[in-house]
């Protein structure tokens, strides 16, 4: 069967857009081919900075002939209905239709439509121009004289040529001929811009790849990544160093080169006094280069360098020079945007003054000038970073103007981070137009964190009387690094730099930790803070954000969540649940809403929002949706208690007694609901004197005992025992339904028996609404 090769070659496509664009091209073309009646065996997309390519194998050479019948209206139908039928069937007059008869419906019109199959080349030639003109680039541009015309071609960068060949392996493929804005399809492409700029004639995908490789173009992006990673590891190894790997940067760099050449540059040792995060981010963001380091023992690391002096924890072990690198999976991202590097075998990596760069050209001098030029730029960037780092540890020039703000927050203007917090308040930096300044927000967070501190300390780790002062101090300093030079240059480092500066000025380790960790967790894979001070400030920060935006009616809608409120709520959920913190959200909401006009009356809506986030979290943990629904009520405001109820209910229903109890209680609830709907009389209470069967008496006694024991267990927050107490109802409930007729002829007996069913429902409702459980 024939194969299709398509290449769209242009000026350089931004690296961040390439992978998705290639996937969009594959989906749009294959969907169009299938819709047109063609099938294919396999399709794969490829991309480089200057081209998107598609290899479709086993494409049918022609679509099938189609014969179909379109049923129309009755022959006596009004003219309007007849005309609608003609338009639908594509007929010019009713004379082209056939009349069919039905014994019941009478005569009606039918259109017999015959559509002959079409050659695949014709279908492709029709599809591709439309795909190009309607391609979903995030941003696109026009170019050349023709671009002034309405509806002219737009592309991410000027489109230069199109290759489109089609044919089986055993024959010479044909060029699928079409034209779009003066660019005609053909079988000519071009190799590397500098190494092989001449024209290349291609036939099908296999020789296309081989000829591009000979012309210094590696078509497969994943192979370019493997080449870069393997060569970078080897270059670092040859210099006695380890590559500090970065999957995000590797992905980006592979989209910047067609012929990757890995080189090593260097900068002065003195720059290693800058924090490792700043060095990495400076080199990564500005030069798209990787940093290197060397393995040292923890003891050696303590002797040779402080944590703020170019030391980061060790990543994945470096592969042997002779190993073929496996595809790198993305590492967990940190707030700085850099992948986290987890300790391995107790080793750490101390950054070196060497870095890895990837060129797009094999220079005649072996890349010496390229490495030297990159080194000059890196040195200039690091000089700026060093200046920022040192400036942040000095006094601000406007100290005299900061005294009022310092007094407001009890700040010590002899300390650099305190100065930055005072300036943040003094400058009235806006947090949100309707929610006031950052200074006002810090004051709110401080008050709320102090409210939360005793509860957090009780649940996690009591710090006795110290926690209140630590929480207050941490809340005040948490946002101070927003006024530092380093964070001004690299916003991704907010929090991380606050921690470093806090340690430098002698703050308690918990206060320093809170400066960084109060932003966490920033996603489902991010870690949750565990230090009680950081937890209190993190909760206060997120709850202030949520209540503030609820108060001004800026809630998430559909897929839009510009202020990341879903993430904030999920962060609160994870902090509370994973730290096993008992917290009544309703009272905390009331305290937080008191800071905002218009907050009253929003508590129920915000609590429902938290319920939705908790359901998402628990479902991701494997909990059944129906069990979650069964234990949550609109008033449930203790998230940890909800989780414990779900766990206990799940454990109960994993047993035979639990499953049978569920069946019995649901039967009781269904009978009761049906009778209540019919307005059948249900007694206000159960009267034992009206019992006629032993099964009634046994069930009544069992319900009394189970209700009492379950209620006591719930008061003790022992939900497993509460569920176990209810499980004893299984046998008496079964016996009741086997031996007792609920709808007795005697109205009083019937009302009494329905009241007994109501007692079963009430007993089980203490722990869950069994009617919402599937099964």
């Amino acid at each position: 069967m024939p194969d299709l090769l398509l290449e769209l070659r242009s000026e350089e496509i931004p690296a961040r857009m390439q992978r998705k664009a290639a996937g969009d091209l594959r989906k749009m073309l294959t969907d169009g081919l299938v819709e047109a009646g063609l099938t294919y065996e396999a399709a794969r997309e490829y991309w480089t900075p200057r081209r998107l390519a598609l290899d479709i194998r086993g494409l049918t050479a022609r679509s099938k002939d189609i014969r179909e019948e379109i049923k129309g209206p009755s022959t006596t139908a009004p003219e309007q209905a007849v005309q609608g039928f003609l338009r639908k069937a594509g007929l010019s007059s009713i004379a082209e239709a056939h009349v069919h008869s039905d014994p019941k419906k009478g005569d009606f019109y039918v259109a017999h439509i015959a559509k002959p199959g079409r050659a695949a080349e014709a279908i492709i030639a029709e599809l591709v121009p439309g795909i190009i003109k309607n391609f979903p680039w995030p941003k696109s541009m026009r170019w050349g004289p023709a671009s002034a015309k309405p509806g002219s071609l737009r592309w991410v960068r000027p489109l230069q040529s199109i290759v489109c060949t089609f044919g089986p392996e055993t024959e010479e493929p044909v060029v699928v001929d079409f034209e779009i804005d003066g660019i005609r399809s053909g079988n000519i492409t071009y190799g590397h811009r500098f190494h092989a700029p001449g024209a290349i004639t291609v036939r099908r995908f296999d020789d296309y790849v081989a000829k591009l490789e000979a012309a210094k173009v590696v078509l497969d992006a994943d192979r370019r990544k493997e080449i870069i990673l393997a060569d970078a590891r080897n270059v670092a190894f040859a210099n006695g160093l380890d590559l500090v790997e970065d999957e995000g940067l590797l992905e980006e760099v592979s989209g910047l080169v067609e012929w990757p050449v890995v080189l090593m540059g260097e900068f002065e040792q003195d720059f290693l006094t800058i924090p490792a995060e700043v060095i990495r981010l400076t080199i990564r963001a500005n030069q798209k280069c990787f940093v290197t380091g060397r393995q040292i023992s923890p003891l050696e690391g303590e002797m040779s360098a402080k944590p703020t002096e170019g030391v980061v924890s060790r990543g994945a072990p470096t592969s042997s020079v002779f190993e073929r690198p496996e595809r790198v999976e993305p590492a967990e991202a940190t707030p700085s945007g850099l992948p986290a590097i987890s300790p391995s075998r107790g080793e750490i990596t101390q950054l070196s003054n060497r870095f890895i760069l990837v060129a797009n050209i094999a220079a005649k001098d072996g890349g010496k000038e390229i490495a030297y030029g990159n080194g000059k730029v890196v040195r200039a960037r690091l000089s700026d970073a060093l200046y920022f780092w040192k400036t942040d540890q000095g006094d601000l020039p406007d100290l005299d103007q900061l005294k009022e703000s310092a007094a407001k927050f009890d700040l010590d203007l002899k300390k650099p981070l305190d100065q930055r917090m005072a300036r943040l308040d003094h400058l009235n930096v806006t947090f949100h137009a309707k929610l006031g300044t950052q200074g006002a927000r810090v004051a709110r967070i401080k008050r709320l964190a102090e409210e939360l501190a005793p509860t957090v300390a009780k649940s996690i780790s009591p710090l006795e009387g110290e926690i209140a002062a630590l929480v207050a101090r941490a809340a005040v300093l948490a946002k101070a690094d927003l006024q530092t030079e380093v964070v001004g240059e690299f916003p991704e480092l907010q929090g991380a730099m606050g921690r470093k500066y806090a340690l430098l000025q002698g703050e308690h380790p918990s206060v320093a930790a809170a400066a960084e960790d109060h932003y966490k967790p920033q996603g489902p894979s991010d870690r949750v803070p565990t230090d009680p001070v950081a937890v209190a400030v993190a909760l206060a920060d997120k709850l202030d954000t949520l209540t503030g935006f609820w108060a001004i009616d800026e809630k998430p809608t559909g897929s839009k969540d510009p202020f990341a409120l879903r993430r904030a709520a999920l962060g609160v959920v994870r902090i509370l649940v994973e730290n096993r913190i008992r917290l009544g959200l309703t009272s905390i909401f009331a305290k937080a809403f008191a800071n905002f006009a218009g907050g009253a009356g929003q508590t129920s809506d915000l609590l429902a929002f938290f319920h939705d986030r908790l359901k998402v979290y628990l479902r991701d943990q494997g909990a059944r949706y129906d069990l979650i629904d069964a234990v949550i009520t609109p008033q449930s405001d203790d998230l940890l208690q909800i989780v414990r109820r779900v766990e206990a209910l799940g454990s109960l229903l994993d047993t035979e007694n639990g499953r049978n109890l569920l069946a019995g209680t649901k039967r009781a609830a269904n009978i009761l609901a049906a009778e209540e709907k019919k307005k059948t009389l249900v007694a206000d209470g159960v009267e034992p004197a009206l019992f006629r069967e032993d099964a009634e008496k046994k069930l009544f006694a069992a319900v009394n005992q189970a209700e009492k024991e379950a209620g006591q267990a719930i008061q003790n927050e022992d939900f497993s025992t509460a569920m176990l107490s209810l499980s004893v109802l299984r046998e008496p409930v079964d016996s009741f339904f086997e031996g007792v007729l609920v709808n007795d002829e005697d109205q009083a007996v019937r009302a009494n028996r329905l009241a007994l069913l109501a007692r079963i429902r009430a007993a089980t409702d203490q722990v869950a609404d069994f009617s919402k459980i599937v099964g």
Side-chain angles (χ1 to χ4, degrees):
M1 295 177 74
D3 302 328
L4 173 66
L5 166 64
L6 176 66
E7 181 202 67
L8 305 176
R9 188 179 64 89
S10 68
E11 295 290 339
E12 276 72 7
I13 305 167
R16 68 183 184 280
M17 298 183 187
Q18 293 168 18
R19 184 180 290 273
K20 182 179 184 302
D24 288 340
L25 178 63
R26 175 185 54 78
K27 186 177 188 308
M28 293 173 77
L29 185 54
T30 54
D31 285 356
L33 294 172
V34 170
E35 190 175 335
L38 301 177
T39 61
Y40 62 95
E41 294 176 356
R44 185 176 173 187
E45 68 274 23
Y46 299 86
W47 62 93
T48 78
R50 299 176 63 214
R51 66 200 80 219
L52 301 178
L54 199 57
D55 174 28
I56 300 181
R57 302 291 176 96
L59 186 64
T60 46
R62 187 179 181 85
S63 63
K64 294 180 179 179
D65 295 341
I66 297 175
R67 297 185 63 85
E68 61 177 331
E69 292 185 354
I70 300 176
K71 185 177 179 181
S74 166
T75 54
T76 60
E79 182 63 19
Q80 187 176 1
V82 173
Q83 291 300 318
F85 164 64
L86 294 178
R87 286 193 297 273
K88 178 181 177 182
L91 303 180
S92 56
S93 72
I94 198 64
E96 297 177 4
H98 296 258
V99 176
H100 289 199
S101 296
D102 184 275
K104 296 181 179 178
K105 298 181 179 179
D107 294 344
F108 57 93
Y109 294 113
V110 175
H112 293 180
I113 307 297
K115 294 181 180 179
R118 301 172 63 201
E121 297 98 307
I123 294 172
I124 295 165
E126 183 180 282
L127 278 175
V128 176
I131 291 171
I132 293 173
K133 283 206 166 187
N134 296 290
F135 202 79
W137 291 110
K139 292 184 179 180
S140 55
M141 61 181 290
R142 292 194 177 109
W143 63 94
S147 66
K149 300 177 182 177
S152 61
L153 174 64
R154 298 171 64 96
W155 200 244
V156 63
R157 295 293 185 269
L159 190 61
Q160 296 176 327
S161 67
I162 300 171
V163 170
C164 192
T165 65
F166 180 72
E169 292 184 8
T170 55
E171 300 176 13
E172 187 69 19
V174 300
V175 171
V176 180
D177 185 47
F178 56 87
E179 181 181 340
I180 177 168
D181 277 29
I183 303 174
R184 183 167 290 281
S185 59
N187 59 355
I188 304 295
T189 189
Y190 297 83
H192 192 282
R193 183 186 293 279
F194 305 112
H195 288 303
I200 302 170
T201 302
V202 298
R203 299 171 63 247
R204 53 178 54 87
F205 182 76
D206 292 340
D207 81 301
Y208 166 72
V209 173
K211 288 178 178 179
L212 280 182
E213 189 93 13
K216 296 291 192 289
V217 174
V218 178
L219 182 66
D220 188 342
D222 289 332
R223 183 162 165 261
R224 290 199 303 277
K225 288 173 67 174
E226 290 178 355
I227 291 169
I228 293 168
L229 183 58
D231 288 355
R233 284 171 171 170
N234 292 342
V235 168
F237 180 81
N239 286 273
L241 299 168
D242 300 309
L243 175 70
V244 178
E245 296 180 14
D246 184 334
E247 169 65 15
L249 180 58
L250 181 63
E251 173 78 12
E252 183 177 8
V253 169
S254 71
L256 299 175
V257 296
E258 290 193 317
W259 188 254
V261 178
V262 173
L263 305 170
M264 177 171 278
E266 65 178 314
F267 54 87
E268 284 74 17
Q269 289 272 0
D270 291 347
F271 289 121
L272 293 178
T273 59
I274 305 171
E277 296 92 335
V278 179
I279 295 173
R280 291 180 66 193
L281 198 56
T282 299
I283 293 176
R284 182 189 202 264
N286 294 303
Q287 289 302 105
K288 312 301 180 190
C289 296
F290 300 85
V291 295
T292 64
R294 66 185 185 90
Q295 293 181 26
I296 57 175
S297 69
L299 180 60
E300 183 185 356
E302 291 175 7
M303 295 172 63
S304 63
K306 296 179 181 178
T308 56
E309 294 177 345
V311 178
V312 292
S313 47
R314 167 85 175 120
T318 304
S319 68
S320 163
V321 176
F322 305 104
E323 289 178 351
R324 178 179 176 85
E326 296 181 354
R327 183 174 179 178
V328 181
E329 294 300 325
E332 180 181 327
T334 65
S336 65
L338 299 171
I341 304 181
S342 302
S344 174
R345 302 188 305 276
E347 297 169 345
I348 57 177
T349 294
Q350 183 179 42
L351 290 190
S352 79
N353 65 326
R354 304 285 186 88
F355 62 91
I356 299 290
L357 62 122
V358 183
N360 190 34
I361 185 171
K364 293 179 181 178
D365 65 352
K368 291 181 181 178
E369 283 299 318
I370 296 174
Y372 176 74
N374 275 267
K376 285 177 64 177
V377 177
V378 166
R379 282 191 286 275
R381 298 290 189 180
L382 289 177
S383 292
D384 291 341
L386 182 60
Y387 169 78
F388 297 147
W389 168 242
K390 290 182 176 179
T391 300
D392 286 340
Q393 297 171 56
D395 290 338
L396 291 172
D398 54 352
L399 275 181
D400 290 343
Q401 301 174 35
L402 306 180
K403 293 179 180 178
E404 184 179 343
S405 292
K408 184 192 303 183
F409 291 100
D410 194 22
L411 297 168
D412 182 355
L413 290 182
K414 294 178 182 178
K415 296 182 176 181
L417 204 56
D418 290 55
Q419 294 177 23
R420 272 68 187 174
M421 178 56 220
R423 175 185 268 186
L424 184 68
D425 179 67
H426 172 71
L427 294 178
N428 290 321
V429 177
T430 300
F431 169 63
H432 184 278
K434 296 180 180 179
L435 295 176
T437 65
Q438 285 281 13
R441 182 164 185 257
V442 167
R444 295 195 303 267
I445 292 173
K446 177 177 178 290
R447 289 194 297 270
L448 197 56
E450 288 173 323
E451 288 278 353
L452 292 164
T455 301
V456 171
K458 181 180 178 182
S459 301
I460 299 180
S461 171
L463 296 178
E464 300 176 353
E466 190 181 10
I467 189 171
L470 291 177
V471 166
R473 179 69 173 160
V476 166
L477 293 182
K479 306 295 182 183
D481 68 349
L482 296 178
Q483 280 293 305
T484 62
E485 299 287 339
V486 170
V487 173
E489 181 72 11
F490 301 114
E492 304 94 326
L493 292 178
Q494 68 178 21
M497 297 311 299
R499 181 175 196 155
K500 290 186 180 296
Y501 292 137
L503 290 172
L504 281 174
Q505 69 177 35
E507 299 295 336
H508 190 286
S510 290
V511 172
E516 179 175 15
D517 290 354
H518 81 281
Y519 289 108
K520 294 180 177 297
Q522 295 204 336
S525 62
D526 194 13
R527 66 178 177 84
V528 168
T530 55
D531 182 284
V533 176
V535 167
V537 180
L539 287 172
D541 181 36
K542 293 168 176 57
L543 289 169
D544 177 78
T545 298
L546 287 157
T547 53
F549 282 106
W550 243 252
I552 63 173
D553 201 27
E554 291 280 0
K555 307 169 188 176
T557 56
S559 60
K560 294 183 180 179
D561 186 11
F563 303 110
L565 301 182
R566 290 188 180 94
R567 186 175 70 184
L570 185 58
V572 173
V573 168
R574 288 191 59 203
I575 290 171
L576 294 177
V577 172
E578 293 177 28
N579 283 302
R580 314 300 283 180
I581 297 173
R582 297 291 311 279
L583 181 67
L585 289 178
T586 302
S587 61
I588 292 297
F589 289 166
K591 291 181 174 67
F593 275 129
N595 293 314
F596 307 102
Q602 293 287 345
T603 295
S604 297
D605 188 58
L606 182 54
L607 188 58
F609 182 71
F610 267 92
H611 288 166
D612 289 340
R613 294 300 93 201
L614 179 63
K615 289 177 183 179
V616 170
Y617 171 75
L618 290 177
R619 283 198 290 265
D620 288 344
Q621 302 299 310
R624 285 170 45 180
Y625 74 92
D626 55 332
L627 302 192
I628 304 169
D629 288 338
V631 302
I632 288 183
T633 68
Q635 294 76 37
S636 301
D637 71 343
D638 185 336
L639 303 186
L640 182 59
Q641 188 181 87
I642 293 172
V643 172
R644 288 175 173 170
R645 285 176 180 265
V646 171
E647 292 171 349
L649 183 57
S651 297
L652 173 65
L653 295 180
D654 283 340
T655 66
E656 184 179 357
N657 276 351
R659 290 188 290 271
N660 289 337
L661 173 63
L662 173 64
T665 53
K666 290 187 76 170
R667 183 177 177 184
N670 290 337
I671 292 172
L672 187 60
E675 296 303 320
E676 287 173 337
K677 189 174 181 180
K678 293 188 289 186
K679 307 227 185 281
T680 304
L681 178 65
V682 179
D684 293 334
V686 178
E687 178 52 62
L690 293 173
F691 291 156
R692 293 180 177 177
E693 307 289 344
D694 287 342
E696 292 177 276
K697 299 174 184 177
K698 290 180 180 178
L699 178 58
F700 182 59
V703 168
N704 285 337
Q705 183 67 21
E707 195 172 45
K708 178 181 176 182
E709 292 179 358
Q712 185 61 49
I714 290 170
Q715 281 189 0
N716 297 332
E717 298 185 358
D718 186 352
F719 300 110
S720 295
T721 299
M723 298 290 177
L724 191 62
S725 300
L726 292 177
S727 68
V728 301
L729 291 175
R730 174 234 170 140
E731 192 278 328
V733 167
D734 288 347
S735 298
F736 177 83
F737 283 120
E738 287 174 6
V740 177
L741 178 66
V742 175
N743 287 319
D744 192 270
E745 294 180 358
D746 187 319
Q747 183 178 358
V749 172
R750 179 171 64 248
N752 196 55
R753 288 174 177 172
L754 289 173
L756 185 55
L757 298 187
R759 284 289 304 281
I760 296 173
R761 184 173 65 183
T764 55
D765 278 354
Q766 291 181 98
V767 292
D769 183 349
F770 276 52
S771 67
K772 294 181 178 179
I773 301 174
V774 176

